[in-house]
């Protein structure tokens, strides 16, 4: 059954969690202030106020509520998760030499690369300060491990993105690092701070992990067949930037010698000519890799939904279920 994409589960979650999210936003504004370096709040405000969905901190809040938490520290953890996410965006835009994010100029374009990197470092440091205020070593371990995994995933992507030897297992490591690690940490710490049983904490981790993987695969698929007005990206941006994503990895695995030569020239060596994107799309369609990638995304979304069965019955659990459907609705 196709889901009505006009019904946005994250909007319903935002309404349900409105009081908590106000507290999270207040804490973020308070902690991104800097008495000595006014550029820090300037740069962070540009990103934080950009109107993102705040999906990751909402996952933390939802997980804590589902597990019956009524203390104050889910607010700290949700703000921590958003700070880590914002720090990685600042660093990513420098690494990718991006000029736009969410339809607005990136911080590195408005200011400079140095400001973006250093403010990103500041936000990472702030996130660790917030974590420690929970006085929960397990929470600290989960979020600090996730921060290291995110950085590791980004570095792995640098070496893997233009190497034709990159296979699906390496792609999955990159995706787990750069995207899924923060999703799974966001959900897991919500359960941990609530003192939930081990099987519920594992279920929350598994949900976040599978949701994050589905989220990234959908993003990579839409680069080749998305609606530009809806995605804010041009068709083939990943191809032009020589990023080896799942549809291309699947096509390379099935390529004959001539096709392999095409991928080597365009992705590995970066010698792209007029008409190459059209030829790339022809090869993806020839080997049916867009449909195969779509099937993978739907399978991960299914795994995310299955993980929720171990959690207590709750209105927010239903929203998380619908969120997994929504993530893949654009390709269903």
């Amino acid at each position: 059954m196709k889901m009505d994409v006009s019904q946005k589960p994250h909007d319903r979650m935002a309404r349900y969690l409105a009081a908590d999210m106000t507290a999270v936003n207040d804490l973020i504004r308070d902690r991104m202030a800097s008495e000595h370096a006014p550029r820090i709040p300037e740069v962070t405000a540009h990103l934080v106020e950009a109107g993102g969905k705040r999906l990751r901190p909402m996952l933390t809040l939802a997980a804590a509520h589902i597990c019956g938490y009524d203390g104050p520290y889910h607010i700290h953890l949700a703000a921590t998760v958003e700070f880590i996410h914002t720090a990685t965006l600042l660093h990513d835009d420098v690494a990718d030499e991006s000029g736009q994010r969410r339809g607005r100029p990136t911080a590195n374009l408005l200011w400079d690369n140095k400001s973006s990197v250093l403010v990103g470092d500041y936000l990472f440091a702030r996130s660790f300060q917030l974590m420690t205020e929970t006085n929960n070593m397990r929470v600290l371990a989960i979020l600090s491990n996730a921060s290291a995994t995110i950085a590791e995933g980004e570095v792995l992507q640098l070496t893997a993105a233009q190497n034709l030897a990159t296979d699906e297992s390496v792609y999955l490591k990159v995706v787990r690092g750069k995207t899924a690690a923060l999703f799974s940490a966001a959900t897991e710490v919500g359960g941990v701070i609530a003192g939930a049983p081990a099987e519920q904490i594992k279920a929350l981790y598994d949900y976040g992990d599978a949701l994050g993987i589905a989220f990234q695969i959908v993003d990579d698929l839409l680069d080749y067949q998305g609606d530009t007005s809806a995605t804010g990206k041009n068709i083939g941006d990943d191809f032009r930037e020589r990023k080896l994503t799942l549809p291309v990895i699947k096509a390379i695995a099935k390529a004959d010698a001539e096709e392999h030569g095409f991928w080597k020239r365009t992705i590995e060596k970066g010698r792209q000519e007029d008409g190459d994107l059209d030829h790339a799309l022809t090869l993806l369609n020839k080997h049916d890799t867009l449909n195969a990638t779509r099937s993978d995304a739907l399978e991960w979304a299914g795994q995310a939904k299955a993980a929720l069965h171990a959690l207590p019955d709750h209105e927010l659990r239903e929203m998380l279920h619908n969120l997994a459907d929504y993530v893949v609705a654009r390709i269903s």
Side-chain angles (χ1 to χ4, degrees):
M1 186 178 84
K2 256 196 169 185
M3 184 180 174
D4 177 4
V5 293
S6 66
Q7 300 175 359
K8 297 181 177 176
H10 51 82
D11 288 344
R12 289 203 300 281
M13 283 173 67
R15 286 194 293 274
Y16 188 99
L17 298 165
D20 279 356
M21 282 308 297
T22 297
V24 170
N25 288 331
D26 288 346
L27 186 56
I28 285 171
R29 286 192 192 95
D30 179 55
R31 298 304 176 91
M32 73 184 188
S34 169
E35 186 184 341
H36 306 296
R39 177 152 301 180
I40 289 170
E42 282 174 21
V43 173
T44 50
H46 175 73
L47 255 182
V48 170
E49 310 294 345
K53 292 188 285 289
R54 294 278 208 279
L55 181 56
R56 292 154 189 83
M58 280 201 293
L59 290 174
T60 299
L61 299 174
H65 278 285
I66 290 168
C67 295
Y69 184 64
D70 63 357
Y73 290 124
H74 61 317
I75 304 297
H76 287 67
L77 293 177
T80 296
V81 165
E82 186 65 9
F83 270 150
I84 293 171
H85 178 54
T86 306
T88 60
L89 295 186
L90 284 165
H91 288 166
D92 285 356
D93 287 340
V94 172
D96 295 342
E97 299 175 354
S98 300
Q100 263 205 343
R101 176 165 302 272
R102 296 170 186 158
R104 305 170 80 214
T106 53
N108 49 304
L109 193 70
L110 289 177
W111 288 275
D112 50 53
N113 284 343
K114 288 177 185 174
S115 294
S116 288
V117 170
L118 294 173
V119 172
D121 292 345
Y122 177 82
L123 292 184
F124 265 126
R126 275 297 202 211
S127 76
F128 279 88
Q129 286 178 322
L130 274 167
M131 281 180 228
T132 60
E133 289 172 28
T134 65
N135 292 311
N136 187 312
M137 281 300 292
R138 189 166 172 200
V139 156
L140 193 59
I142 291 164
L143 287 166
S144 57
N145 286 339
S147 300
T149 302
I150 293 163
E152 192 177 32
E154 291 290 355
V155 176
L156 176 60
Q157 187 179 35
L158 283 179
T159 54
Q162 291 152 15
N163 180 358
L164 293 199
T166 296
D167 60 14
E168 291 192 30
S169 68
V170 175
Y171 170 83
L172 196 57
K173 276 183 195 158
V174 170
V175 169
R176 272 215 160 97
K178 70 173 196 164
T179 304
L182 193 54
F183 276 80
S184 58
T187 46
E188 188 180 7
V189 294
V192 168
I193 202 68
E199 65 271 16
Q200 291 181 14
I201 292 170
K202 183 181 187 305
L204 286 165
Y205 171 88
D206 289 343
Y207 171 81
D209 179 60
L211 184 75
I213 293 169
F215 186 92
Q216 188 60 54
I217 291 175
V218 167
D219 209 44
D220 292 343
L221 182 59
L222 289 175
D223 190 75
Y224 286 100
Q225 61 173 43
D227 173 358
T228 300
S229 63
T231 63
K233 294 170 70 177
N234 297 312
I235 292 291
D237 276 351
D238 285 347
F239 177 77
R240 281 182 284 272
E241 292 168 18
R242 301 162 58 202
K243 287 182 182 172
L244 263 183
T245 57
L246 194 55
V248 174
I249 290 168
K250 287 180 181 292
I252 290 168
K254 294 183 173 181
D256 60 27
E258 184 183 336
E259 291 166 6
H260 199 274
F262 167 79
W263 294 118
K264 190 172 185 68
R265 172 176 66 79
T266 55
I267 301 287
E268 206 165 82
K269 300 195 177 300
R271 295 202 309 269
Q272 295 187 8
E273 302 162 2
D274 287 347
D276 280 346
L277 175 59
D278 288 337
H279 187 56
L281 288 166
T282 298
L283 295 180
L284 298 183
N285 287 314
K286 173 186 172 183
H287 295 298
D288 203 28
T289 71
L290 296 176
N291 278 328
T293 300
R294 174 180 167 274
S295 294
D296 284 2
L298 292 170
E299 187 178 322
W300 282 108
Q303 287 189 38
K305 290 186 289 185
L308 295 171
H309 296 320
L311 298 177
D313 190 25
H314 197 287
E315 197 176 340
L316 280 164
R317 188 183 79 169
E318 188 62 29
M319 291 183 206
L320 291 182
H321 187 281
N322 293 340
L323 181 64
D325 280 332
Y326 179 74
V327 161
V328 293
R330 292 177 295 172
I331 59 164
S332 299

